[in-house]
Amino acid sequence: MERSARVGTWIIATGVIVAFLYLGRDILATFAMAVFLYLIIEGFATVIEAAGKRAKVARFGMRAARLIAVLIVTGGFVAFIALLANGFGEFGRHSEEYETKINLLIADAYRAVGLGNAPTLTQLLLNETGQQFFATLANAVSGLSGDLVLILIYVAFLFAAQGGWSRKLDAIFRTPERREQVRVIGEEARLSIERYLWVQTVISALITLLSYVSLLALGVQNALFLSALIFVLNYIPTVGSIVAALVPPLFALVQPSVPGWVPGFAPDTSYIYAALVFVIVSFWQFSIGNFVQPRMMGDSLNLSALVVLLALAIWGLIWGIPGMFLSAPLTVLMMILLAQSDQTRWMAVLLSSDGNPRGKVEQSEVAVSASRGS
């Protein structure tokens, strides 16, 4: 009876938490993005501070390192938005050529399946479905602009409030042993998330650079814009790399002109060209994602592949696109917190890859216990 009551309590509690996360997604997802952006800036600042100390720069402390890190991250955001604006402008300047090519592809598709007269791109976009799509896209862009401003405000307040956290934790946890345990848990969570974000950034940058060089060599138009999309998409676990491999071939397929070196005869040339682009881009995604990334990532996540995929689907359902970007680090945080209680440890074990969700936390607790005994 007691066990049934405990299970029922867990089910109700889980439902309440999921409902809270879903209903408050507009606020919580934005704040979570701000927290992870704050961690990225702190990670950059730590690296910059260490470099300054090695270079023996006079009076170079954490404050100066944070300022440089903020400038780097802000500059990256501005550069990315400028790339998107330039990319959309480039497509707009050649819109008539793209439309002509897309109309030919639509006609080919209709002939291939034996349908009647093929509609034009304009007809497809001006119907009810097309209008709803553009309305949704416009709302998403408008909401994203507002979210970016709110995220930057949150980050500024996080930096302003960070100095008082240690005093607050000391006031909440009175005993030194408990404060040390909380400190270790928080440090483990922070380091795991920072390590993941850092490695993911390096891996995304490497894939983006190689893809950009390959797209330039293949003669794909607007290669810089497509490479920027690849960089962002690689932050989404599993699905992001698949989409990143599909986006350049789709743009290559509708590209108005195909380089003369591509083998084949019209109208098959465009399909052969898109297939070549797909093979090259997929090669970088596959080789780096399966050989380089695991060596760099190590056990920083300690999540099984199935859990990563399920977390992507669940967090994407709850928080949408922000949830998909944050699914892996959020699940790591959940695993570390669940591992702290004997009643929830089994869930953390299921989430972990090696069956030991606590790792360094357990080692630190052993050290604390040993010092307390002595």
Side-chain angles (χ1 to χ4, degrees), residues 325-345:
F325 279 101
L326 302 177
S327 60
L330 284 172
T331 307
V332 170
L333 181 60
M334 283 179 54
M335 181 183 67
I336 293 173
L337 295 177
L338 289 171
Q340 307 314 310
S341 172
D342 292 335
Q343 295 181 345
T344 58
R345 180 179 169 80

Side-chain angles (χ1 to χ4, degrees), residues 305-315:
L306 179 60
V307 168
V308 171
L309 193 59
L310 288 175
L312 177 67
I314 294 172
W315 283 108

